[in-house]
Amino acid sequence: MFIDFGFGILVLTLAVTLFSIAAALYGFYTGSPRWVESARRAMQLTFPLITLVALALIYLLVSGHYEVQFVYSVTSNEMPLYLKITALWGGQEGSLILWAWLLAVFTSAVTLRKWDRDQELLPWVIIVTAITLAFFLALVIFFENPFARWWILPDNTPVAAMFQPSGAVPAFPNNGEGLNPLLRHPGMIIHPPMLYLGFVAFVIPYAFAIAALVTGRTDDRWLRLTRRWTLIAWLFLSIGLVLGARWAYDVLGWGGYWGWDPVEIAAFMPWLTGTAFLHSVMIQEKRGLFKQWNMILVILTYSLVLFGTFLTRSGVLSSVHAFAQSAIGPMFFSFIGVTFITSLVLLFHRWKDLTATIEMKSMLSREALFLLNNLLFIGVLIICFWGVVSPLISELATGQKITVGPPFYERATSPLWGALMLLMGVAPLSAWGKSTFTTLGKALWKPALLAALTPLMLAALGMRNWVALLGFTLVALVIFVSLHEYWRGARARQKAQGEGFLTALARLAARNRRRYGGYIIHISMVIMAIGILGIEIFQTETQRNMAIGDQVELAGYTVRYDSLAQFPYSDGRFVTRAVMSVFKAGEFVDEIYPRYDLYPGGQPMTIPGVRSTLVDDLYVVLVNWENVSATQTPFKIYHNPLVNWLWIGSGIFILGYLLAAWPQKENG
Amino acid sequence: MRLKFILGGVAILAAIVFLIATSMNASAEYFLTVDEVQARQSEIVGRNLRISGAVIGDTISYEPDSLTLTFVIAHIPGGNREIEAQGGLALVLHEAVTDPTRTRLTVVYIGPKPDLLQDEAQAIVTGQLGDDGIFYADELLLKCPTRYEEALPEQALEN
């Protein structure tokens, strides 16, 4: 009953969404506010409707209706309740429902606001969001139906379909396959919704941009209206990416956090354009420059969000090979293609209106440096995109399939990351309009001098890798410049207002939240860079077959293999768990428990034993292998210097973000 | 002023193209089938290759002390489409292993022996071809089509 109910509401939602598009179009072209109002109410109705759909699906998941193919494929009797609920986004069908639900939430929120001054944008905001929503609903209804049931055909083969195929009888399995064990991790429970929140929230700025292009209201009103949406999208996308990295580090057991897999890159690309957009909107707000460029960025971000959803929708295990077989591939590509080209046509139509009235005057001005920042982000984007599509392109061009791995991305992007760090150090000091080497040098020399001490210190400590020395110098430069800015601002206030230093500091940050929050975000980024430089450049590893009592040494640590236990666990998995003692300079420091769990159905999960400190992580993997025994246990041991700073930096990032984005009165 | 900006933009674009080109040269991996490896042996020695083939179970040998794993793979078609056209991955792998006329390639990999390394698994190995005609893999990925089949199990049919 819930199956038909859920599906029925789903179809109804699509009908309401289509009505909304038609009503908004009619209202716009006839100039009838009543029809636009009707379209707006219809869009608001989609939120409760899709909520019902999601609830029906969650009910099916929780109550074990395995006759539903989706339920069968992501849950099982052994799974705890919270996993059954979160299994909603454990598969492709459910995650598309989640996507549609989030879009309905955001669209309802945006249509609920007061529109008096921006009435003319409303119909097109509705049309763009509704078309996107309709696309996802249609995908779910026609191609990836989460309510499809199992049927047994007369020739005894099972088939999944919504409606009874002729002669078929319904099948009622009494247990499901269960969620992929790799996804049964706290990080995996919140990582996909975070990423999706980020993805979907970017639809709103895009909808306003298109509305501005269609209606010809090409001032920066659309930017101001969507600033908060952009920030929210960016926050969640960032958190989603970091959680994914953390999950990979904790669960995948290959010693790293980021593998330049196409799926990861797909989620990373909208972040790149989104970050560029976040910076360049400031130029438009302050100087009225870059109007066309901002449009291009928001259009690109929207397309990349769709592309990212398409590549990531089925979770970890989808790869370039998996999606080719999915029915929704061509649909996605067509939709991305059509929206992208339509958007560009609209943009060129308004190109002249968007031309800036002033010109950039100086190569060192703040706006010129922001432009450089944007070009660098786009550079990274181009490299990533090239890496993802190179197998396709090379095969078409030469018949020889060429892929690129992590070394490609690392080599090609690292100079750009370096340049971006340098910009983070320099750009905050340059002035709007006009800057010269002299003015810039004056502001820069003190922090730069301090930063220049860093490589000397590190070299004295024995660091000889020049990439690392350069990297850490840039990290120091950004930190010193940002702190110096805080100090300078607070000093000036202290003098002018006669406040105490701390009061001055607090008020300074509170009055210019975006700027001073931004500095903290810059600091958080380079603190993350410390972790990345540490693990990328100084990671060492060894692998060994060990018997109990054996010791192995790595990077000043001695790891002793103490014991091994193998036992079945209540939920059906079989656990193999080693106990190891870690010694540093002869002293016992910690005990770690690398293990691997074999789930019924043969799916393994490797959980490393990690001793984590601010200086380094010792990361030991019990390699998943059937014939593990006390006398022959294969281990991989990694020494990951400084990697903890990656996670610490993420925490600081959120603090900086909260400072920058905390609601503040408009004229602040 | 305008000219300066255009020149700057062109310089950045050129730098990005340069970065892509040099990094491609250094780290590109060429997808080859076992047949292609055999045919082009002389020109591909030392390059980064990625090769897919069917694992022949009897040939797997493992030296636990040195973690040296040796096995032989048999030729299978490269493209997903061809594999589908020939009846799916499981069938293609089975035929490759049972057909003694197929081209074969010996692979050496240093590392723990993965569970999934078994007869009729698909191995995707990344590494270099040595002068001795043996493939030295840095990375070993395995797929077992029979293991993760997504069909309704027997118990459902009985109900």
Side-chain angles (χ1 to χ4, degrees):
Chain A
M1 191 217 127
F2 276 88
I3 302 172
D4 296 319
F5 172 76
F7 187 71
I9 300 287
L10 193 57
V11 174
L12 181 65
T13 319
L14 179 61
V16 169
T17 312
L18 292 175
F19 167 79
S20 180
I21 298 170
L25 274 173
Y26 185 76
F28 176 74
Y29 283 110
T30 59
S32 148
R34 281 182 51 221
W35 279 98
V36 175
E37 185 54 27
S38 178
R40 166 158 109 154
R41 297 231 170 114
M43 262 327 259
Q44 284 163 0
L45 190 60
T46 59
F47 164 55
L49 285 176
I50 304 182
T51 306
L52 284 179
V53 174
L55 287 176
L57 196 53
I58 289 173
Y59 170 79
L60 294 169
L61 286 166
V62 169
S63 57
H65 278 262
Y66 301 115
E67 73 270 27
V68 178
Q69 187 232 350
F70 175 68
V71 175
Y72 172 82
S73 66
V74 294
T75 59
S76 65
N77 291 333
E78 293 78 24
M79 278 163 54
L81 181 67
Y82 75 99
L83 278 180
K84 284 184 180 168
I85 297 172
T86 55
L88 179 65
W89 49 86
Q92 179 174 324
E93 297 89 341
S95 45
L96 289 174
I97 293 277
L98 177 67
W99 216 101
W101 183 75
L102 289 172
L103 185 56
V105 173
F106 290 163
T107 308
S108 296
V110 105
T111 50
L112 274 173
R113 68 182 294 278
K114 285 206 179 70
W115 281 81
D116 2 300
R117 269 211 290 164
D118 316 297
Q119 206 64 42
E120 73 244 61
L121 294 176
L122 179 62
W124 282 95
V125 170
I126 292 174
I127 292 166
V128 173
T129 49
I131 287 177
T132 312
L133 184 61
F135 169 70
F136 276 90
L137 292 173
L139 269 188
V140 173
I141 292 172
F142 296 111
F143 296 97
E144 296 291 336
N145 186 352
F147 296 104
R149 262 169 293 198
W150 283 117
W151 304 92
I152 308 292
L153 294 177
D155 64 354
N156 230 6
T157 51
V159 61
M162 186 61 221
F163 300 105
Q164 188 165 19
S166 67
V169 290
F172 294 93
N174 43 34
N175 201 353
E177 286 180 317
L179 193 62
N180 185 321
L182 291 178
L183 301 178
R184 301 181 197 184
H185 178 272
M188 255 303 127
I189 291 166
I190 40 177
H191 161 71
M194 288 290 150
L195 214 53
Y196 274 22
L197 274 168
F199 277 0
V200 180
F202 270 125
V203 174
I204 306 293
Y206 169 77
F208 275 86
I210 295 300
L213 286 177
V214 174
T215 57
R217 239 191 104 171
T218 47
D219 56 351
D220 56 7
R221 186 70 194 151
W222 72 274
L223 273 184
R224 291 181 188 278
L225 288 173
T226 57
R227 182 201 288 163
R228 190 146 296 151
W229 287 102
T230 310
L231 279 171
I232 287 172
W234 189 69
L235 172 72
F236 284 115
L237 196 51
S238 307
I239 293 178
L241 287 167
V242 170
L243 282 174
R246 180 73 212 210
W247 167 77
Y249 192 72
D250 285 347
V251 176
L252 292 188
W254 41 264
Y257 57 95
W258 183 262
W260 295 102
D261 179 81
V263 173
E264 291 168 350
I265 295 172
F268 188 47
M269 287 195 292
W271 187 86
L272 290 169
T273 51
T275 312
F277 181 65
L278 216 63
H279 285 92
S280 71
V281 292
M282 287 188 246
I283 311 298
Q284 182 168 346
E285 286 175 18
K286 290 251 162 50
R287 309 283 297 167
L289 291 161
F290 295 175
K291 289 181 191 166
Q292 296 122 334
W293 179 241
N294 282 329
M295 286 286 174
I296 293 176
L297 282 179
V298 83
I299 292 167
L300 260 181
T301 307
Y302 175 79
S303 296
L304 289 170
V305 157
L306 291 176
F307 186 63
T309 310
F310 163 53
L311 275 183
T312 53
R313 79 302 179 264
S314 60
V316 271
L317 296 179
S318 69
S319 73
V320 192
H321 303 287
F323 76 73
Q325 285 139 19
S326 165
I328 65 174
M331 306 300 301
F332 249 105
F333 274 120
S334 316
F335 187 70
I336 295 172
V338 168
T339 51
F340 186 64
I341 290 167
T342 314
S343 309
L344 287 187
V345 168
L346 267 173
L347 173 61
F348 288 123
H349 174 62
R350 297 282 178 201
W351 192 259
K352 280 222 178 78
D353 302 349
L354 289 165
T355 307
T357 44
I358 60 163
E359 266 206 358
M360 268 195 279
K361 291 197 191 71
S362 150
M363 292 289 267
L364 290 174
S365 64
R366 178 83 67 93
E367 51 267 41
L369 295 181
F370 267 76
L371 177 62
L372 186 58
N373 144 306
N374 268 245
L375 291 175
L376 290 169
F377 273 113
I378 297 302
V380 177
L381 175 76
I382 292 171
I383 291 167
C384 288
F385 192 75
W386 176 260
V388 172
V389 300
S390 62
L392 296 170
I393 291 180
S394 60
E395 196 167 25
L396 284 176
T398 63
Q400 170 67 63
K401 200 167 176 184
I402 299 175
T403 54
V404 294
F408 165 77
Y409 298 100
E410 281 155 17
R411 267 183 78 126
T413 59
S414 49
L416 301 182
W417 294 126
L420 277 168
M421 289 212 278
L422 183 63
L423 269 185
M424 272 197 267
V426 176
L429 303 175
S430 80
W432 298 107
K434 195 154 174 62
S435 267
T436 62
F437 278 107
T438 328
T439 56
L440 207 53
K442 245 185 191 162
L444 192 60
W445 74 270
K446 275 188 231 162
L449 202 65
L450 274 175
L453 295 175
T454 316
L456 298 178
M457 244 169 58
L458 291 173
L461 288 170
M463 193 186 283
R464 288 292 174 269
N465 183 304
W466 71 269
V467 178
L469 288 173
L470 183 66
F472 287 124
T473 309
L474 290 169
V475 167
L477 178 72
V478 175
I479 293 178
F480 289 136
V481 164
S482 307
L483 293 180
H484 186 243
E485 281 297 283
Y486 263 94
W487 186 78
R488 227 172 41 142
R491 288 288 291 187
R493 254 193 98 85
Q494 201 180 2
K495 272 188 201 144
Q497 315 273 338
E499 297 162 345
F501 183 75
L502 287 178
T503 324
L505 197 65
R507 293 215 176 130
L508 174 80
R511 296 279 152 81
N512 306 279
R513 292 216 171 110
R514 192 141 66 132
R515 177 162 174 192
Y516 288 95
Y519 289 151
I520 293 185
I521 293 176
H522 281 176
I523 291 177
S524 78
M525 289 289 158
V526 295
I527 285 177
M528 290 169 85
I530 295 176
I532 295 170
L533 285 167
I535 188 171
E536 292 297 335
I537 297 177
F538 298 108
Q539 184 181 55
T540 48
E541 59 171 283
T542 182
Q543 49 188 18
R544 191 75 57 84
N545 248 322
M546 295 172 81
I548 285 174
D550 279 358
Q551 295 189 351
V552 62
E553 280 182 31
L554 183 71
Y557 283 99
T558 306
V559 186
R560 191 182 67 203
Y561 179 22
D562 293 336
S563 67
L564 181 77
Q566 293 185 283
F567 51 90
Y569 194 71
S570 60
D571 63 358
R573 65 185 136 154
F574 188 78
V575 178
T576 303
R577 179 173 176 272
V579 179
M580 305 184 102
S581 300
V582 181
F583 299 87
K584 191 167 189 179
E587 301 258 328
F588 171 83
V589 286
D590 210 348
E591 202 170 65
I592 53 175
Y593 315 100
R595 59 177 235 244
Y596 81 79
D597 299 358
L598 203 61
Y599 280 81
Q603 305 194 61
M605 172 147 107
T606 311
I607 299 170
V610 184
R611 171 187 150 78
S612 187
T613 68
L614 290 181
V615 179
D616 54 10
D617 278 18
L618 189 75
Y619 182 105
V620 181
V621 181
L622 171 52
V623 180
N624 160 24
W625 178 33
E626 242 158 39
N627 304 318
V628 151
S629 68
T631 52
Q632 236 180 55
T633 321
F635 288 102
K636 269 196 170 184
I637 301 157
Y638 296 85
H639 180 246
N640 297 333
L642 298 173
V643 69
N644 238 328
W645 293 96
L646 179 55
W647 320 120
I648 294 171
S650 327
I652 299 174
F653 166 80
I654 292 175
L655 292 180
Y657 176 88
L658 288 176
L659 177 57
W662 204 262
Q664 184 178 16
K665 287 212 176 103
E666 273 273 333
N667 53 14
Chain B
M1 203 62 229
R2 217 195 172 100
L3 184 72
K4 262 199 207 168
F5 277 104
I6 291 170
L7 284 177
V10 169
I12 289 170
L13 200 70
I16 288 163
V17 171
F18 173 77
L19 282 171
I20 289 180
T22 53
S23 309
M24 274 300 270
N25 269 336
S27 65
E29 285 166 3
Y30 295 80
F31 258 91
L32 294 177
T33 62
V34 176
D35 277 353
E36 287 165 337
V37 171
Q38 213 71 12
R40 297 164 57 182
Q41 203 151 17
S42 56
E43 51 171 312
I44 55 177
V45 168
R47 277 215 203 149
N48 291 321
L49 306 177
R50 178 176 281 227
I51 299 164
S52 140
V55 175
I56 300 170
D58 299 339
T59 63
I60 301 172
S61 81
Y62 184 56
E63 179 62 54
D65 291 333
S66 59
L67 297 160
T68 308
L69 184 60
T70 313
F71 57 94
V72 174
I73 54 174
H75 172 81
I76 57 168
N80 274 345
R81 212 165 284 157
E82 285 164 79
I83 289 173
E84 286 306 315
Q86 292 181 21
L89 187 59
L91 187 66
V92 166
L93 288 169
H94 176 73
E95 282 173 355
V97 169
T98 47
D99 176 3
T101 64
R102 291 283 175 109
T103 331
R104 296 179 170 194
L105 179 68
T106 306
V107 177
V108 173
Y109 171 76
I110 308 289
K113 180 181 165 223
D115 263 356
L116 291 175
L117 186 74
Q118 47 186 256
D119 197 34
E120 296 185 16
Q122 182 193 9
I124 301 164
V125 287
T126 313
Q128 281 110 25
L129 187 69
D131 291 327
D132 48 8
I134 291 174
F135 190 79
Y136 294 92
D138 310 316
E139 199 188 311
L140 167 61
L141 290 172
L142 291 155
K143 271 192 203 167
C144 283
T146 45
R147 200 150 176 175
Y148 297 114
E149 221 157 302
E150 238 190 81
L152 202 58
E154 298 296 312
Q155 47 121 338
L157 294 168
E158 287 157 18
N159 279 314

